[in-house]
Amino acid sequence: MSDKIMVTRSSMPDFEEYCREIKDLWDSRWLTNNGAKHGLLEKHLAEYFDVPNVTLFTNGHLALENVLEAMDFPRGGEVITTPFTFASTTHAIVRSGLTPVFCDIKSSDYTIDESLIEQYITDRTCAILPVHVYGKVCNVEAIEEISEKHSLKVIYDAAHTFGVTYKGVSTANFGDASMFSFHATKVFHTIEGGAICCKDGELARRLCDIKNFGIHGPESTLYVGGNAKMNEFQAAMGICNLRHIDEEIAKRKAVVERYISRLSDVKGITLCGDQPHVENNYAYFPVIFDPETFGADRDDVFAALAEKNIGARKYFYPLTSAFECYQGRFNPEETPVALRLSLRVLTLPLYSDLSLDCVDRICDIVLSCQNIK
Ligand code: T4K
């Protein structure tokens, strides 16, 4: 294979379509700070998610930091979360002066194990921050029950769930707030970008101020805010991409179905099955390799693919609790399911214009690793 296949590849709108969308910026010269495109994208997304408030950010990570700041938790407060995620989730908690408390995940869908949450609740706990990892939906009903019982806030890291619904409801509607990432690698993107979706209008208003230096009005600055605003070129990309989102998800579905047809009955390979009542967005394709029964481990498969110029990724290895920057603070062994999965998972390439021929070639290489040990 000559051209490198990466784990993902940004979807682009038609070049002319994007040019048409940004053309009026040359007339208005209004490039950022709550511009017209920003307003339009917020409106379109609120309709798409069917949620009252969408606040746009320059990226998902700052959206998460800003919502933690807006909730005004006491310094050192504990946030129950999972370590099987991208660096951003844990870093946002720590950078906000809060303490992550790691709960294990379920081997069935890699989301937080709701049956373990209550054992971590102390009088310092202020929030639960679960991750809809790979677009798999957490047990939102159980989490809501726990949060109500203990008066805790719930902030979902919904970075991976654009377009995902549970019982017909967008994941933007669960918890006190949900953070979406619109990074270039996501199912829906604004180049860089993100959003907080919430029902509470007061929280949304605070977020608007905090992301703009805390400025509330011309002569009023209410918060020690920073700068996390989305600009007009980002918003224009979002407006274009949103027009094609159904097609984007349908194409990804075809790729995933091909992977499933080739890999689902292979000894030693576990795929994450469909969840009841969930409409997928086909954001990632994680595969778990059991070295004993597959006869090769995750790293063997990763190396075999790399040799053929295919860049699969070990999302999410290492666990965030094992990062060098947190050395001595957390013990990854305390989340044994997450640790085991992080050592066995490989996310295979997945994007909307990945051809089915390429999927077949990737699967052929994966299967050629069987029993190489
Ligand atoms: N929470 C969770 C659970 C997340 O997964 C993320 C981000 C966040 C929070 C934070 O959201 P943001 O602040 O990013 O909005 C990538 C993405 O940068 C990151 O957004 C994403 N999660 C994470 C899972 O993946 P890297 O370090 O793996 O990216 P990189 O540069 O290695 O790119 C991966 C592949 O994507 C490349 O091999 C090729 C392709 N690619 C990349 C770029 C930058 C493109 O096709 N186009 C591009 O422009 O983090």
Side-chain angles (χ1 to χ4, degrees):
M1 219 173 286
S2 52
D3 289 339
K4 192 164 170 121
I5 296 180
M6 315 288 258
V7 69
T8 193
R9 188 164 184 243
S10 297
S11 292
M12 301 296 279
D14 184 68
F15 180 66
E16 305 301 333
E17 182 181 352
Y18 185 65
C19 289
R20 273 197 306 278
E21 196 60 54
I22 59 173
K23 196 165 183 305
D24 50 1
L25 298 176
W26 267 257
D27 303 323
S28 70
R29 307 280 169 116
W30 191 277
L31 307 183
T32 184
N33 289 13
N34 242 337
K37 309 231 173 255
H38 178 282
L40 197 60
L41 183 60
E42 276 190 344
K43 182 172 168 287
H44 287 174
L45 287 173
E47 283 161 13
Y48 181 80
F49 289 132
D50 197 16
V51 70
N53 302 291
V54 175
T55 309
L56 295 175
F57 286 86
T58 193
N59 60 54
H61 178 79
L62 284 175
L64 203 49
E65 285 197 11
N66 277 240
V67 74
L68 288 170
E69 190 178 335
M71 289 197 171
D72 208 13
F73 296 127
R75 242 190 136 62
E78 293 174 355
V79 178
I80 299 171
T81 187
T82 54
F84 188 73
T85 182
F86 192 57
S88 170
T89 320
T90 304
H91 287 350
I93 297 169
V94 174
R95 287 169 58 84
S96 304
L98 301 165
T99 304
V101 174
F102 291 111
C103 181
D104 212 348
I105 59 174
K106 293 171 289 192
S107 54
S108 54
D109 61 15
Y110 323 136
T111 65
I112 194 164
D113 185 340
E114 62 279 359
S115 71
L116 302 176
I117 293 176
E118 281 191 289
Q119 74 186 55
Y120 293 108
I121 297 176
T122 69
D123 53 6
R124 290 178 302 279
T125 308
C126 46
I128 309 173
L129 204 166
V131 184
H132 299 305
V133 66
Y134 304 133
K136 298 291 168 192
V137 181
C138 300
N139 186 336
V140 290
E141 282 139 354
I143 292 168
E144 185 175 345
E145 215 172 279
I146 295 166
S147 67
E148 278 177 4
K149 184 171 155 198
H150 298 274
S151 304
L152 299 174
K153 296 282 185 201
V154 179
I155 301 141
Y156 282 105
D157 181 332
H160 299 173
T161 51
F162 194 93
V164 174
T165 59
Y166 172 66
K167 294 186 175 167
V169 176
S170 158
T171 53
N173 289 279
F174 303 122
D176 295 282
S178 293
M179 179 279 287
F180 288 82
S181 163
F182 304 152
H183 183 261
T185 53
K186 296 293 189 283
V187 170
F188 165 82
H189 76 85
T190 58
I191 309 172
E192 290 267 6
I196 295 294
C197 298
C198 63
K199 296 199 176 115
D200 178 2
E202 181 44 40
L203 174 62
R205 272 187 292 281
R206 220 171 315 142
L207 284 168
C208 284
D209 292 351
I210 290 175
K211 74 173 179 182
N212 185 26
F213 309 101
I215 297 171
H216 183 69
E219 296 182 12
S220 162
T221 298
L222 297 179
Y223 311 100
V224 188
N227 181 358
K229 295 172 289 190
M230 178 181 280
N231 70 49
E232 290 292 271
F233 289 84
Q234 291 173 284
M237 181 60 90
I239 290 167
C240 293
N241 283 336
L242 196 57
R243 289 188 192 115
H244 307 286
I245 190 66
D246 291 345
E247 190 192 343
E248 168 72 22
I249 293 175
K251 283 166 135 184
R252 285 170 168 272
K253 182 176 185 205
V255 172
V256 166
E257 282 174 348
R258 185 61 148 249
Y259 270 129
I260 291 173
S261 75
R262 294 287 315 272
L263 300 177
S264 61
D265 291 324
V266 179
K267 214 170 135 204
I269 283 185
T270 306
L271 306 179
C272 195
D274 283 341
Q275 297 178 291
H277 314 297
V278 171
E279 274 300 322
N280 286 324
N281 64 355
Y282 310 96
Y284 293 87
F285 193 72
V287 178
I288 310 293
F289 294 93
D290 174 8
E292 263 83 71
T293 45
F294 187 67
D297 62 31
R298 180 271 308 274
D299 291 342
D300 296 323
V301 181
F302 178 85
L305 289 167
E307 196 175 307
K308 300 281 191 225
N309 245 344
I310 297 168
R313 290 293 283 270
K314 301 175 195 177
Y315 293 137
F316 289 99
Y317 170 84
L319 296 181
T320 62
S321 52
F323 284 179
E324 292 94 325
C325 56
Y326 296 128
Q327 195 106 54
R329 272 187 80 174
F330 310 112
N331 180 3
E333 311 267 338
E334 284 172 6
T335 53
V337 177
L339 183 59
R340 188 164 176 276
L341 286 169
S342 75
L343 293 165
R344 293 173 175 218
V345 70
L346 198 59
T347 46
L348 298 182
L350 171 55
Y351 43 92
S352 56
D353 55 3
L354 183 65
S355 74
L356 299 185
D357 277 354
C358 285
V359 176
D360 282 339
R361 282 145 76 191
I362 293 166
C363 292
D364 288 343
I365 297 166
V366 169
L367 296 173
S368 74
C369 295
Q370 253 181 317
N371 301 318
I372 55 166
K373 290 255 195 222

